Amino acid sequence: MDQDLKSTTGTAAIEHRSFARIGFLGNPSDVYFGRTISFTIGNFWASVKLEPSEHVIIKPHQFHDLVQFNSLDHLLNRLENEGYYGGVRLLMAICKVFRNYCKDNAIQLHQRNFTLSYDTNIPRQTGLSGSSAIVSAALSCLLDFYNVRHLIKLQVRPNLVLNAEKELGIVAGLQDRVAQVYGGLVHMDFSKEHMDKLGHGIYTPMDITLLPPLHLIYAENPSDSGKVHSRVRQRWLDGDELIITSMEEVGKLAEEGRTALLEKDHSKLVQLMNRNFDLRRKMFGDECLGAMNIEMVEVARRVGAASKFTGSGGAVVVFCPEGPSQVKLLEEECKKSGFILEPVKIAPSCLNDSDIQSLG
C-alpha cells in the first residue's frame, strides 16, 4: 500500500501503488454521460517511486522500456507481444499535466527535483487499466512531493490522469481513473448536467463488503482489442437510435446494480451483468469484440455463471451464484480453453484525511 520509504542515500522517498480496476456495471456508458460501478482489485497493481535528485529524471523500466535486444527477431517478437510503448511516456505526460494544472490554478510548487521510476504486474491488454494505474500512482507521488494534496480536489484528479493519457492519444473515459484515484467500490454518475456544470461526475464510495465473491478470467497471451470505442462513438454522435437507447440502458444497469448490491439481491446481479455484456455485443458487434474475448464470456455462461468484460476486452469478471461447486466447474472449463481463472481480491479505498479534506 502507500508508504514513505528511505532510499539508500538516507533521503526521503515516496512510493504509491495504484490497483487494477474492474468495471462491474454500466461500462462503457461513462463516455456517454451514463453511470457506472467499478472497483479496484488487489490482484494486480502498478507502483511508482519518487526520490529527490539533482535533476528531473524519468527512469526506464528494465523490462517494459527495453531498448536492447538479442537479435532483430527478438525485437520483432517483443513489439508484437508488448507493443511499442512502456511507461516512460506516461510518467512524462502526467508531469506535464500536473505542472500545467498547478500553474493555471496558481498553486505554488517548490523548485526541488526528483527521479521517477515505476513497476507493474498488471497484465497487458487485459482491460484492467494498466496504463492509468501507472499515471495515477505517479500523480499521488507528485501530490505528496510538492505537498499539494489538499489543494487539488479529489474529484479533479481523475481528469488529470485522463488528460495525461489524452496527451498520448489514448482513447478512454473517466471511469477507470475515478476507480483508481478513490480505490475500493465506487458508484459514478457522469450525467451531462454534472459534467457540464462541474467538469466531473458525482462519485460515491460504497462498502466493498456489498460485493459477492467474484472471479477474473483472462488469457496469458491476449490479442490486442484495438480501439473498440471509435465506430460506436461516431454513431452515437450521429444520433443513431440503437446506440443512444442501448447506451442509456447500459447506464441504468449501474443504478439497478447499486440497489441490488445494497439489498444483497444476487439473482438480480446475475441478470444485470449478463445484460451489460449483451448490450455491448449488440452495439459493438462480434468482429470488434474479438473471438477470444467472447469465448471468455461464453466459458462462464456455459456453467451458468454471470459474466461481462472488465473493460473493453481482454479479461472477464464472473459471478458464480451457486458457490464453490459452480466455481469448480468454471475452473475445469477455463483449463480446457486455456484461460487463467483467479478469485478477485477487492482493494479497499485508498483515501486519506487530506483527500477527504480536498472534497470540500
Side-chain angles (χ1 to χ4, degrees), residues 166-195:
K166 282 181 175 177
E167 283 275 324
L168 305 170
I170 296 172
V171 179
L174 277 168
Q175 171 190 229
D176 307 355
R177 290 92 204 143
V178 174
Q180 289 169 326
V181 166
Y182 280 67
L185 177 65
V186 187
H187 175 273
M188 310 168 204
D189 181 347
F190 299 102
S191 68
K192 193 171 189 303
E193 179 191 355
H194 300 319
M195 297 299 290

Side-chain angles (χ1 to χ4, degrees), residues 218-329:
Y218 62 99
E220 197 161 9
N221 298 300
S223 56
D224 193 354
S225 58
K227 293 185 177 178
V228 298
H229 290 309
S230 55
R231 195 170 60 87
V232 166
R233 180 154 189 82
Q234 190 55 54
R235 289 172 63 189
W236 182 79
L237 290 169
D238 291 342
D240 186 309
E241 190 65 24
L242 171 69
I243 301 300
I244 289 173
T245 56
S246 296
M247 204 61 78
E248 285 174 354
E249 185 179 348
V250 169
K252 286 174 184 172
L253 296 178
E255 288 307 297
E256 294 181 58
R258 176 162 65 170
T259 302
L261 285 170
L262 292 169
E263 295 178 355
K264 302 273 186 186
D265 188 347
H266 290 173
S267 61
K268 184 67 173 177
L269 285 179
V270 169
Q271 295 171 25
L272 296 173
M273 288 176 68
N274 285 334
R275 181 63 179 157
N276 204 148
F277 177 75
D278 292 343
L279 286 167
R280 177 187 280 272
R281 190 172 188 178
K282 183 171 77 169
M283 289 186 287
F284 288 88
D286 287 8
E287 186 179 354
C288 197
L289 298 188
M292 183 184 288
N293 290 327
I294 293 170
E295 177 60 17
M296 280 191 275
V297 171
E298 296 295 346
V299 158
R301 291 192 176 185
R302 283 200 287 272
V303 301
S307 57
K308 64 176 292 294
F309 287 178
T310 59
S312 296
V316 166
V317 59
V318 181
F319 174 38
C320 294
E322 294 169 24
S325 60
Q326 196 172 30
V327 172
K328 185 70 178 168
L329 292 174

